[in-house]
Coordinates of all heavy atoms in Angstrom, one line a residue:
M1 N 26.5 73.4 146.9 CA 27.0 74.3 148.0 C 26.8 73.7 149.3 O 25.7 73.1 149.6 CB 26.3 75.6 147.9 CG 26.7 76.5 146.8 SD 26.4 78.2 147.4 CE 27.0 79.1 146.1
R2 N 27.7 74.0 150.2 CA 27.6 73.5 151.6 C 27.4 74.6 152.5 O 27.8 75.8 152.2 CB 28.9 72.7 151.9 CG 29.1 71.5 151.1 CD 30.4 70.8 151.5 NE 30.4 69.5 150.8 CZ 31.5 68.8 150.7 NH1 32.6 69.3 151.2 NH2 31.5 67.7 150.1
S3 N 26.8 74.3 153.7 CA 26.6 75.4 154.7 C 27.8 75.3 155.7 O 28.2 74.3 156.2 CB 25.3 75.1 155.5 OG 24.2 75.2 154.6
Y4 N 28.3 76.5 156.1 CA 29.4 76.6 157.0 C 29.1 77.7 158.1 O 28.3 78.6 157.8 CB 30.7 77.1 156.3 CG 31.3 76.0 155.4 CD1 31.0 76.1 154.0 CD2 32.1 75.1 155.8 CE1 31.5 75.1 153.1 CE2 32.7 74.1 155.0 CZ 32.3 74.2 153.6 OH 32.9 73.2 152.8
E5 N 29.7 77.5 159.2 CA 29.7 78.5 160.2 C 31.1 78.8 160.6 O 31.9 77.9 160.8 CB 28.9 78.0 161.4 CG 28.8 79.0 162.6 CD 27.9 78.5 163.7 OE1 26.7 78.6 163.6 OE2 28.5 77.9 164.7
T6 N 31.4 80.1 160.8 CA 32.7 80.5 161.2 C 32.6 81.5 162.3 O 31.8 82.4 162.3 CB 33.6 81.0 160.0 OG1 34.9 81.3 160.5 CG2 33.0 82.3 159.4
M7 N 33.5 81.3 163.3 CA 33.6 82.3 164.3 C 35.1 82.7 164.4 O 35.9 81.8 164.4 CB 33.1 81.8 165.7 CG 33.4 82.8 166.8 SD 32.7 82.4 168.3 CE 31.1 83.0 168.1
Y8 N 35.4 84.0 164.5 CA 36.7 84.4 164.6 C 36.8 85.5 165.7 O 35.9 86.2 166.0 CB 37.4 84.9 163.3 CG 36.6 85.9 162.5 CD1 36.9 87.2 162.6 CD2 35.6 85.5 161.6 CE1 36.2 88.2 161.9 CE2 34.9 86.4 160.9 CZ 35.2 87.7 161.0 OH 34.5 88.7 160.3
I9 N 38.0 85.5 166.3 CA 38.2 86.5 167.4 C 39.3 87.4 166.9 O 40.4 87.0 166.6 CB 38.6 85.8 168.7 CG1 37.6 84.7 169.1 CG2 38.8 86.8 169.8 CD1 38.0 83.9 170.3
L10 N 39.0 88.7 166.9 CA 40.0 89.7 166.5 C 40.6 90.3 167.7 O 40.0 90.4 168.8 CB 39.3 90.8 165.7 CG 38.6 90.3 164.4 CD1 37.9 91.5 163.7 CD2 39.6 89.8 163.4
S11 N 41.8 90.9 167.5 CA 42.6 91.5 168.6 C 41.8 92.7 169.1 O 41.3 93.5 168.3 CB 43.9 91.9 168.1 OG 44.6 92.7 169.1
P12 N 41.7 92.9 170.4 CA 41.0 94.1 170.9 C 41.8 95.4 170.7 O 41.3 96.5 170.9 CB 40.9 93.8 172.4 CG 42.0 92.9 172.7 CD 42.2 92.1 171.5
D13 N 43.1 95.3 170.3 CA 44.0 96.4 170.1 C 43.7 97.1 168.8 O 44.2 98.2 168.5 CB 45.4 96.0 170.2 CG 45.8 95.4 171.6 OD1 45.1 95.7 172.5 OD2 46.8 94.7 171.6
L14 N 43.0 96.5 167.9 CA 42.7 97.1 166.6 C 41.8 98.3 166.7 O 40.9 98.3 167.5 CB 42.0 96.1 165.7 CG 42.8 94.8 165.3 CD1 41.9 93.8 164.5 CD2 44.0 95.2 164.5
S15 N 42.1 99.3 165.9 CA 41.2 100.4 165.9 C 39.9 100.0 165.2 O 39.8 99.0 164.5 CB 41.8 101.6 165.1 OG 41.9 101.3 163.7
E16 N 38.8 100.9 165.3 CA 37.5 100.5 164.7 C 37.7 100.4 163.2 O 37.0 99.5 162.6 CB 36.5 101.6 165.1 CG 35.1 101.2 164.7 CD 34.1 102.2 165.2 OE1 34.3 102.9 166.2 OE2 33.0 102.2 164.6
E17 N 38.4 101.3 162.6 CA 38.7 101.2 161.1 C 39.3 99.9 160.7 O 38.9 99.3 159.7 CB 39.5 102.4 160.7 CG 38.8 103.7 160.6 CD 39.8 104.8 160.1 OE1 40.9 104.5 159.6 OE2 39.4 106.0 160.2
E18 N 40.4 99.5 161.4 CA 41.1 98.3 161.1 C 40.1 97.1 161.3 O 40.1 96.2 160.4 CB 42.3 98.1 162.0 CG 43.4 99.1 161.7 CD 44.5 99.1 162.8 OE1 44.2 98.9 164.0 OE2 45.7 99.2 162.4
R19 N 39.4 97.1 162.3 CA 38.5 96.0 162.6 C 37.4 95.9 161.5 O 37.2 94.8 161.0 CB 37.8 96.2 164.0 CG 37.0 95.0 164.4 CD 36.4 95.1 165.8 NE 35.5 96.3 165.9 CZ 35.7 97.4 166.7 NH1 36.8 97.5 167.4 NH2 34.8 98.3 166.7
K20 N 36.8 97.0 161.2 CA 35.8 97.0 160.1 C 36.4 96.6 158.8 O 35.7 95.9 158.0 CB 35.1 98.3 160.0 CG 34.2 98.6 161.2 CD 33.4 99.9 160.9 CE 32.5 100.2 162.1 NZ 31.4 99.3 162.3
G21 N 37.6 97.0 158.5 CA 38.3 96.6 157.3 C 38.5 95.1 157.2 O 38.3 94.5 156.1
L22 N 38.9 94.5 158.3 CA 39.1 93.0 158.3 C 37.8 92.3 158.1 O 37.8 91.3 157.4 CB 39.8 92.6 159.7 CG 41.3 92.9 159.8 CD1 41.8 92.4 161.2 CD2 42.1 92.2 158.7
I23 N 36.8 92.7 158.8 CA 35.5 92.1 158.7 C 35.0 92.1 157.3 O 34.5 91.1 156.7 CB 34.5 92.7 159.7 CG1 34.9 92.4 161.1 CG2 33.1 92.2 159.4 CD1 34.1 93.1 162.2
E24 N 35.1 93.3 156.6 CA 34.7 93.4 155.2 C 35.5 92.6 154.3 O 35.0 92.0 153.3 CB 34.8 94.9 154.8 CG 33.6 95.8 155.3 CD 32.3 95.2 154.9 OE1 32.1 94.9 153.7 OE2 31.4 95.2 155.8
R25 N 36.8 92.5 154.6 CA 37.7 91.6 153.8 C 37.3 90.2 153.8 O 37.2 89.5 152.8 CB 39.1 91.8 154.4 CG 40.2 90.9 153.7 CD 41.5 91.1 154.3 NE 42.5 90.2 153.7 CZ 43.6 89.9 154.2 NH1 44.0 90.5 155.4 NH2 44.5 89.1 153.6
F26 N 36.9 89.7 155.0 CA 36.5 88.3 155.1 C 35.1 88.1 154.4 O 34.9 87.1 153.8 CB 36.4 87.8 156.6 CG 37.7 87.9 157.3 CD1 37.8 88.3 158.6 CD2 38.9 87.7 156.7 CE1 39.0 88.4 159.3 CE2 40.1 87.7 157.3 CZ 40.2 88.1 158.7
K27 N 34.2 89.0 154.6 CA 32.9 88.9 153.9 C 33.1 89.0 152.4 O 32.4 88.2 151.7 CB 32.0 90.1 154.4 CG 31.5 89.9 155.8 CD 30.9 91.1 156.4 CE 29.5 91.4 155.8 NZ 28.9 92.6 156.5
N28 N 33.9 89.9 151.9 CA 34.1 90.0 150.5 C 34.8 88.8 149.9 O 34.5 88.4 148.7 CB 34.9 91.2 150.1 CG 34.2 92.5 150.3 OD1 32.9 92.5 150.3 ND2 34.9 93.6 150.5
L29 N 35.7 88.1 150.6 CA 36.3 86.9 150.2 C 35.3 85.8 149.9 O 35.4 85.2 148.8 CB 37.3 86.4 151.2 CG 38.2 85.3 150.8 CD1 39.6 85.5 151.4 CD2 37.7 84.0 151.3
I30 N 34.3 85.7 150.7 CA 33.3 84.7 150.5 C 32.4 85.0 149.3 O 32.2 84.2 148.4 CB 32.4 84.5 151.8 CG1 33.2 84.0 152.9 CG2 31.2 83.7 151.5 CD1 32.6 84.0 154.3
I31 N 32.0 86.3 149.2 CA 31.1 86.7 148.2 C 31.8 86.7 146.8 O 31.2 86.2 145.8 CB 30.5 88.1 148.4 CG1 29.6 88.1 149.7 CG2 29.8 88.7 147.3 CD1 29.3 89.4 150.3
E32 N 33.0 87.1 146.7 CA 33.7 87.2 145.4 C 34.0 85.8 144.9 O 34.3 85.6 143.7 CB 35.0 88.0 145.6 CG 34.8 89.5 145.8 CD 36.1 90.2 146.1 OE1 37.1 89.6 146.3 OE2 36.0 91.4 146.3
N33 N 34.1 84.8 145.8 CA 34.3 83.4 145.3 C 33.1 82.6 145.1 O 33.1 81.4 145.1 CB 35.3 82.7 146.3 CG 36.7 83.2 146.2 OD1 37.3 83.2 145.2 ND2 37.2 83.8 147.3
G34 N 31.9 83.3 145.0 CA 30.7 82.6 144.7 C 29.9 82.1 145.9 O 28.9 81.4 145.7
G35 N 30.3 82.5 147.1 CA 29.6 82.1 148.3 C 28.4 83.1 148.6 O 28.3 84.2 148.0
E36 N 27.7 82.8 149.6 CA 26.5 83.6 150.0 C 26.5 83.6 151.6 O 26.5 82.6 152.2 CB 25.2 83.0 149.5 CG 24.0 83.6 150.0 CD 22.8 82.8 149.7 OE1 22.9 81.5 149.4 OE2 21.7 83.3 149.8
I37 N 26.5 84.8 152.1 CA 26.4 85.0 153.6 C 25.0 84.9 154.0 O 24.2 85.7 153.5 CB 27.1 86.3 154.0 CG1 28.6 86.2 153.7 CG2 26.9 86.5 155.5 CD1 29.3 87.5 153.9
T38 N 24.6 84.0 154.9 CA 23.3 83.8 155.3 C 23.0 84.5 156.6 O 21.8 84.8 156.9 CB 22.9 82.3 155.4 OG1 23.8 81.7 156.3 CG2 22.9 81.7 154.0
N39 N 24.0 84.6 157.5 CA 23.8 85.3 158.8 C 25.2 85.9 159.2 O 26.2 85.3 159.0 CB 23.4 84.2 159.8 CG 23.1 84.9 161.2 OD1 22.7 86.0 161.2 ND2 23.4 84.1 162.2
F40 N 25.1 87.1 159.8 CA 26.3 87.8 160.2 C 26.0 88.5 161.5 O 24.9 89.1 161.7 CB 26.7 88.8 159.2 CG 27.9 89.6 159.6 CD1 29.2 89.1 159.5 CD2 27.7 90.9 160.1 CE1 30.3 89.8 159.9 CE2 28.8 91.6 160.6 CZ 30.1 91.1 160.5
D41 N 26.8 88.2 162.5 CA 26.5 88.8 163.9 C 27.9 89.2 164.5 O 28.7 88.3 164.7 CB 25.8 87.7 164.7 CG 25.2 88.3 166.0 OD1 25.1 89.5 166.1 OD2 24.8 87.5 166.8
E42 N 28.0 90.4 164.9 CA 29.1 90.9 165.6 C 28.8 90.9 167.1 O 27.9 91.5 167.6 CB 29.5 92.3 165.2 CG 30.1 92.5 163.9 CD 30.6 93.9 163.6 OE1 31.3 94.4 164.4 OE2 30.3 94.4 162.5
W43 N 29.5 90.0 167.9 CA 29.2 89.9 169.3 C 29.9 91.0 170.1 O 29.6 91.3 171.2 CB 29.6 88.6 169.8 CG 28.8 87.4 169.3 CD1 27.8 87.5 168.4 CD2 28.9 86.1 169.8 NE1 27.2 86.3 168.3 CE2 27.9 85.4 169.1 CE3 29.7 85.4 170.7 CZ2 27.7 84.0 169.3 CZ3 29.5 84.1 170.8 CH2 28.5 83.4 170.1
G44 N 31.0 91.6 169.5 CA 31.7 92.7 170.2 C 32.8 92.1 171.1 O 33.2 91.0 171.1
K45 N 33.3 93.0 172.0 CA 34.4 92.7 172.9 C 33.8 91.8 174.0 O 32.8 92.1 174.7 CB 35.0 93.9 173.5 CG 36.1 94.5 172.6 CD 36.9 95.6 173.4 CE 37.8 96.2 172.4 NZ 38.6 97.3 173.1
R46 N 34.5 90.7 174.3 CA 34.2 89.8 175.4 C 35.5 89.3 176.0 O 36.5 89.2 175.4 CB 33.4 88.6 174.8 CG 32.0 89.1 174.3 CD 31.2 87.9 173.9 NE 29.9 88.4 173.4 CZ 28.8 88.1 173.9 NH1 28.7 87.3 174.9 NH2 27.7 88.5 173.3
K47 N 35.3 88.9 177.3 CA 36.4 88.4 178.0 C 36.7 87.0 177.5 O 35.8 86.2 177.3 CB 36.1 88.4 179.5 CG 37.2 87.9 180.4 CD 36.8 88.1 181.8 CE 37.7 87.4 182.8 NZ 39.0 87.9 182.9
L48 N 38.0 86.7 177.3 CA 38.4 85.4 176.8 C 38.5 84.4 178.0 O 38.7 84.8 179.2 CB 39.8 85.4 176.2 CG 39.9 86.3 174.9 CD1 41.4 86.5 174.5 CD2 39.1 85.7 173.8
A49 N 38.3 83.1 177.8 CA 38.4 82.1 178.8 C 39.8 82.0 179.4 O 40.0 81.8 180.6 CB 38.0 80.7 178.3
Y50 N 40.8 82.3 178.5 CA 42.2 82.4 178.9 C 42.9 83.4 178.1 O 42.5 83.6 176.9 CB 42.9 81.0 178.8 CG 42.7 80.4 177.5 CD1 43.7 80.6 176.5 CD2 41.7 79.6 177.1 CE1 43.6 80.1 175.2 CE2 41.5 79.0 175.9 CZ 42.5 79.3 174.9 OH 42.4 78.7 173.7
P51 N 43.9 84.0 178.5 CA 44.6 85.0 177.7 C 45.3 84.4 176.5 O 45.8 83.4 176.5 CB 45.7 85.6 178.7 CG 45.3 85.2 180.0 CD 44.5 83.9 179.9
I52 N 45.1 85.1 175.4 CA 45.8 84.7 174.1 C 46.7 85.9 173.7 O 46.3 87.0 173.6 CB 44.7 84.5 173.0 CG1 43.7 83.4 173.4 CG2 45.4 84.2 171.7 CD1 42.6 83.3 172.4
D53 N 48.0 85.6 173.6 CA 49.0 86.6 173.3 C 48.9 87.7 174.4 O 49.0 88.9 174.0 CB 48.8 87.2 171.9 CG 49.0 86.2 170.8 OD1 49.7 85.2 171.0 OD2 48.5 86.4 169.7
K54 N 48.7 87.3 175.6 CA 48.7 88.2 176.8 C 47.5 89.3 176.7 O 47.6 90.3 177.2 CB 50.0 89.0 176.9 CG 51.2 88.0 177.2 CD 52.4 88.8 177.4 CE 53.6 87.8 177.6 NZ 54.9 88.4 177.7
K55 N 46.5 88.9 175.9 CA 45.3 89.7 175.8 C 44.1 89.1 176.5 O 43.8 87.9 176.2 CB 44.9 90.0 174.3 CG 46.0 90.8 173.6 CD 45.7 90.9 172.1 CE 46.6 91.8 171.4 NZ 47.9 91.3 171.2
P56 N 43.5 89.7 177.5 CA 42.4 89.1 178.2 C 41.0 89.2 177.5 O 40.1 88.6 177.9 CB 42.3 89.9 179.5 CG 42.9 91.2 179.2 CD 43.9 91.0 178.1
E57 N 40.9 90.0 176.5 CA 39.7 90.2 175.7 C 39.9 90.0 174.2 O 41.0 90.1 173.7 CB 39.2 91.7 175.9 CG 38.7 92.0 177.3 CD 38.1 93.4 177.3 OE1 38.6 94.3 176.6 OE2 37.1 93.6 178.0
G58 N 38.8 89.8 173.5 CA 38.8 89.7 172.1 C 37.5 90.2 171.5 O 36.5 90.3 172.2
Y59 N 37.5 90.5 170.2 CA 36.3 91.0 169.5 C 35.8 89.8 168.7 O 36.4 89.3 167.7 CB 36.7 92.2 168.6 CG 35.5 92.9 168.1 CD1 34.9 93.9 168.8 CD2 34.9 92.5 166.9 CE1 33.8 94.6 168.3 CE2 33.8 93.2 166.4 CZ 33.2 94.2 167.1 OH 32.1 94.9 166.7
Y60 N 34.6 89.3 169.1 CA 34.0 88.1 168.5 C 33.1 88.5 167.3 O 32.3 89.4 167.4 CB 33.2 87.4 169.5 CG 33.9 86.6 170.5 CD1 34.7 87.2 171.5 CD2 33.9 85.2 170.6 CE1 35.4 86.5 172.5 CE2 34.6 84.5 171.5 CZ 35.4 85.2 172.5 OH 36.0 84.5 173.4
V61 N 33.2 87.6 166.2 CA 32.4 87.8 165.1 C 31.9 86.4 164.6 O 32.7 85.5 164.5 CB 33.1 88.5 163.9 CG1 32.2 88.6 162.7 CG2 33.6 89.8 164.3
L62 N 30.6 86.2 164.4 CA 30.0 85.0 164.0 C 29.4 85.2 162.6 O 28.7 86.2 162.3 CB 28.9 84.5 165.0 CG 28.1 83.3 164.6 CD1 29.0 82.0 164.7 CD2 26.9 83.1 165.5
M63 N 29.7 84.2 161.7 CA 29.2 84.3 160.3 C 28.8 83.0 159.8 O 29.5 82.0 159.9 CB 30.3 84.9 159.4 CG 29.9 85.4 158.1 SD 31.1 86.4 157.2 CE 32.7 85.7 157.6
N64 N 27.6 82.9 159.2 CA 27.1 81.7 158.5 C 27.1 81.9 157.0 O 26.7 83.0 156.6 CB 25.7 81.3 159.0 CG 25.7 80.9 160.4 OD1 25.8 81.8 161.3 ND2 25.5 79.7 160.7
F65 N 27.6 81.0 156.3 CA 27.6 81.2 154.8 C 27.5 79.8 154.1 O 27.7 78.8 154.6 CB 28.9 81.9 154.4 CG 30.2 81.1 154.7 CD1 30.8 80.4 153.7 CD2 30.8 81.2 155.9 CE1 32.0 79.7 154.0 CE2 32.0 80.6 156.2 CZ 32.6 79.8 155.2
N66 N 27.1 79.9 152.8 CA 27.0 78.8 151.9 C 28.0 79.0 150.8 O 28.1 80.1 150.2 CB 25.6 78.7 151.3 CG 24.5 78.5 152.3 OD1 24.7 77.8 153.3 ND2 23.3 79.1 152.0
S67 N 28.8 77.9 150.6 CA 29.8 78.0 149.5 C 30.4 76.6 149.2 O 30.0 75.6 149.8 CB 31.0 78.9 150.0 OG 31.7 78.3 151.0
D68 N 31.3 76.6 148.3 CA 32.0 75.4 148.0 C 33.1 75.2 149.0 O 33.5 76.1 149.7 CB 32.7 75.4 146.6 CG 31.6 75.5 145.5 OD1 30.5 75.0 145.6 OD2 31.9 76.2 144.4
S69 N 33.7 74.0 149.1 CA 34.7 73.7 150.1 C 36.0 74.5 149.8 O 36.7 74.9 150.8 CB 35.0 72.2 150.1 OG 35.5 71.8 148.9
K70 N 36.3 74.9 148.6 CA 37.5 75.6 148.3 C 37.4 77.0 148.9 O 38.5 77.6 149.3 CB 37.8 75.7 146.8 CG 36.8 76.4 146.0 CD 37.1 76.5 144.6 CE 36.0 77.2 143.8 NZ 36.3 77.5 142.5
V71 N 36.2 77.6 149.1 CA 36.1 78.9 149.7 C 36.4 78.9 151.2 O 37.1 79.7 151.7 CB 34.7 79.5 149.5 CG1 34.5 80.8 150.2 CG2 34.4 79.6 148.0
S72 N 36.0 77.8 151.9 CA 36.3 77.7 153.3 C 37.8 77.5 153.5 O 38.4 77.9 154.4 CB 35.5 76.6 153.9 OG 35.9 75.3 153.4
Q73 N 38.4 76.7 152.5 CA 39.9 76.5 152.6 C 40.6 77.8 152.4 O 41.6 78.1 153.1 CB 40.3 75.5 151.6 CG 39.8 74.1 151.9 CD 40.0 73.2 150.7 OE1 40.4 73.5 149.6 NE2 39.7 71.9 150.9
E74 N 40.2 78.6 151.5 CA 40.8 80.0 151.2 C 40.6 80.9 152.4 O 41.5 81.6 152.8 CB 40.2 80.6 150.0 CG 40.8 82.0 149.7 CD 42.2 82.0 149.3 OE1 42.9 81.0 149.1 OE2 42.8 83.1 149.4
L75 N 39.4 80.8 153.0 CA 39.1 81.7 154.2 C 40.0 81.3 155.4 O 40.6 82.1 156.0 CB 37.7 81.5 154.6 CG 37.1 82.4 155.7 CD1 37.3 83.9 155.3 CD2 35.7 82.1 156.0
E76 N 40.2 80.0 155.5 CA 41.2 79.5 156.6 C 42.6 80.0 156.3 O 43.3 80.4 157.3 CB 41.1 78.0 156.7 CG 42.0 77.5 157.8 CD 41.8 76.0 158.1 OE1 41.1 75.3 157.3 OE2 42.3 75.5 159.1
R77 N 43.0 79.9 155.1 CA 44.4 80.4 154.7 C 44.5 81.9 155.1 O 45.5 82.3 155.6 CB 44.6 80.1 153.3 CG 46.1 80.5 152.8 CD 46.2 80.4 151.3 NE 45.6 81.5 150.7 CZ 46.1 82.8 150.6 NH1 47.2 83.0 151.2 NH2 45.5 83.7 149.9
V78 N 43.5 82.7 154.7 CA 43.6 84.1 155.0 C 43.6 84.4 156.5 O 44.3 85.3 157.0 CB 42.4 84.8 154.3 CG1 42.3 86.3 154.7 CG2 42.6 84.7 152.8
Y79 N 42.7 83.6 157.3 CA 42.7 83.8 158.7 C 44.1 83.6 159.3 O 44.6 84.3 160.2 CB 41.8 82.8 159.4 CG 40.3 83.1 159.3 CD1 39.4 82.0 159.5 CD2 39.8 84.4 159.2 CE1 38.0 82.3 159.4 CE2 38.5 84.6 159.1 CZ 37.6 83.6 159.3 OH 36.2 83.8 159.2
K80 N 44.8 82.5 158.8 CA 46.1 82.2 159.3 C 47.2 83.3 159.1 O 48.1 83.5 159.9 CB 46.6 80.9 158.7 CG 46.0 79.6 159.2 CD 46.5 78.4 158.5 CE 45.8 77.2 159.0 NZ 46.3 76.0 158.3
I81 N 47.1 84.0 158.0 CA 48.1 85.0 157.7 C 47.8 86.4 158.1 O 48.6 87.3 157.9 CB 48.5 84.9 156.2 CG1 47.3 85.3 155.3 CG2 49.1 83.6 155.8 CD1 47.6 85.4 153.8
T82 N 46.6 86.6 158.7 CA 46.1 87.9 159.1 C 46.6 88.1 160.5 O 46.2 87.4 161.4 CB 44.6 88.0 158.9 OG1 44.2 87.7 157.6 CG2 44.1 89.4 159.3
D83 N 47.3 89.2 160.7 CA 47.8 89.5 162.0 C 46.8 89.8 163.1 O 47.0 89.5 164.2 CB 48.8 90.8 162.0 CG 50.1 90.4 161.3 OD1 50.5 89.2 161.3 OD2 50.7 91.3 160.8
G84 N 45.6 90.4 162.8 CA 44.6 90.8 163.8 C 43.8 89.7 164.3 O 43.0 89.8 165.2
V85 N 43.9 88.5 163.7 CA 43.0 87.3 164.1 C 43.7 86.5 165.2 O 44.8 86.0 165.0 CB 42.7 86.4 162.9 CG1 41.9 85.2 163.3 CG2 42.0 87.2 161.8
L86 N 43.1 86.5 166.4 CA 43.7 85.7 167.5 C 43.3 84.2 167.3 O 44.2 83.4 167.5 CB 43.1 86.2 168.8 CG 43.4 87.6 169.2 CD1 42.8 88.0 170.5 CD2 44.9 87.8 169.3
R87 N 42.1 83.9 167.1 CA 41.6 82.5 166.9 C 40.5 82.5 165.9 O 39.8 83.5 165.7 CB 41.1 81.9 168.2 CG 42.1 81.7 169.3 CD 42.9 80.5 168.9 NE 43.8 80.1 170.0 CZ 45.0 80.6 170.2 NH1 45.5 81.5 169.4 NH2 45.8 80.2 171.2
Y88 N 40.3 81.3 165.3 CA 39.2 81.2 164.4 C 38.7 79.7 164.4 O 39.5 78.8 164.8 CB 39.6 81.6 162.9 CG 40.6 80.7 162.3 CD1 40.2 79.5 161.6 CD2 42.0 80.9 162.5 CE1 41.2 78.7 161.1 CE2 42.9 80.0 162.0 CZ 42.5 78.9 161.3 OH 43.4 78.1 160.8
L89 N 37.5 79.5 163.9 CA 37.0 78.1 163.7 C 36.0 78.1 162.6 O 35.1 79.0 162.5 CB 36.3 77.6 165.0 CG 35.7 76.2 165.0 CD1 36.8 75.2 164.9 CD2 34.9 76.0 166.3
I90 N 36.1 77.2 161.7 CA 35.2 77.0 160.6 C 34.6 75.6 160.7 O 35.4 74.6 160.7 CB 35.9 77.2 159.2 CG1 36.5 78.6 159.1 CG2 34.8 77.0 158.1 CD1 37.4 78.7 157.9
I91 N 33.3 75.5 160.7 CA 32.7 74.2 160.8 C 31.6 74.0 159.7 O 31.0 75.0 159.3 CB 32.1 73.8 162.2 CG1 31.0 74.9 162.5 CG2 33.1 73.7 163.2 CD1 30.2 74.5 163.8
R92 N 31.4 72.8 159.2 CA 30.4 72.5 158.2 C 29.1 72.2 159.0 O 29.1 71.3 159.8 CB 30.8 71.4 157.3 CG 30.2 71.4 156.0 CD 30.9 70.5 155.1 NE 30.0 69.3 154.9 CZ 30.3 68.2 154.3 NH1 31.5 68.0 153.9 NH2 29.5 67.2 154.2
T93 N 28.0 72.9 158.6 CA 26.8 72.7 159.4 C 25.7 71.9 158.6 O 24.6 71.8 159.2 CB 26.2 74.1 159.8 OG1 26.0 74.9 158.7 CG2 27.1 74.8 160.8
D94 N 26.0 71.5 157.4 CA 24.9 70.9 156.6 C 24.7 69.4 156.9 O 23.9 68.7 156.3 CB 25.1 71.1 155.1 CG 26.4 70.6 154.6 OD1 27.2 70.2 155.4 OD2 26.6 70.6 153.4
E95 N 25.5 68.8 157.8 CA 25.4 67.4 158.1 C 24.5 67.2 159.3 O 24.4 67.9 160.2 CB 26.7 66.8 158.3 CG 27.6 66.7 157.1 CD 28.9 66.0 157.3 OE1 29.3 65.8 158.5 OE2 29.5 65.7 156.3

C-alpha cells in the first residue's frame, strides 16, 4: 500500500447536504476499494487565489489515505466527472 494525500475544492454553491454527500462518496470510494483513511480535515470555505468558474470562494477538504495505485486512479476519475468539484490534487507521499 502507498500513502497519498488529496485536496479537493468543492463549489460554494452546494447545499450542506450535497456537500456532505460528496465528501462521504469520496471517503466511501477509498474504503470500499480496500484503502484506509489516515487523516481527514475539512478546512471549510476559503477565498480562492483566483476565480474558478466565476466563483471567488471554495470549500476545501484535505484527506490522507493508504491504498493501491488503482484506488487513486479511480478517485481521480470520479473527481473529473463530479459536477461539484472545482479543483483537486492527488499526490503520493510515501517517497
Side-chain angles (χ1 to χ4, degrees):
M1 284 209 177
R2 296 181 171 163
S3 297
Y4 292 94
E5 178 176 279
T6 182
M7 175 173 274
Y8 51 95
I9 305 172
L10 299 175
S11 173
D13 300 337
L14 296 173
S15 70
E16 188 172 341
E17 284 180 12
E18 292 171 321
R19 186 175 65 242
K20 287 188 184 290
L22 285 178
I23 291 170
E24 284 302 313
R25 177 179 174 197
F26 300 144
K27 288 167 75 174
N28 288 338
L29 188 141
I30 294 168
I31 293 167
E32 289 171 359
N33 288 301
E36 171 192 19
I37 296 174
T38 57
N39 184 31
F40 178 78
D41 194 15
E42 288 187 49
W43 290 7
K45 276 191 186 177
R46 295 185 181 238
K47 186 173 166 68
L48 299 170
Y50 55 89
I52 300 172
D53 295 335
K54 299 181 181 177
K55 294 176 174 73
E57 290 184 328
Y59 192 88
Y60 284 71
V61 180
L62 176 70
M63 190 166 40
N64 296 71
F65 62 97
N66 297 325
S67 71
D68 296 329
S69 61
K70 64 180 180 173
V71 176
S72 66
Q73 293 169 353
E74 176 65 13
L75 186 60
E76 183 172 7
R77 185 189 72 78
V78 171
Y79 283 157
K80 285 180 182 178
I81 62 173
T82 304
D83 288 335
V85 178
L86 297 178
R87 290 286 187 274
Y88 67 90
L89 179 67
I90 302 173
I91 58 172
R92 204 167 106 189
T93 58
D94 61 350
E95 291 184 349

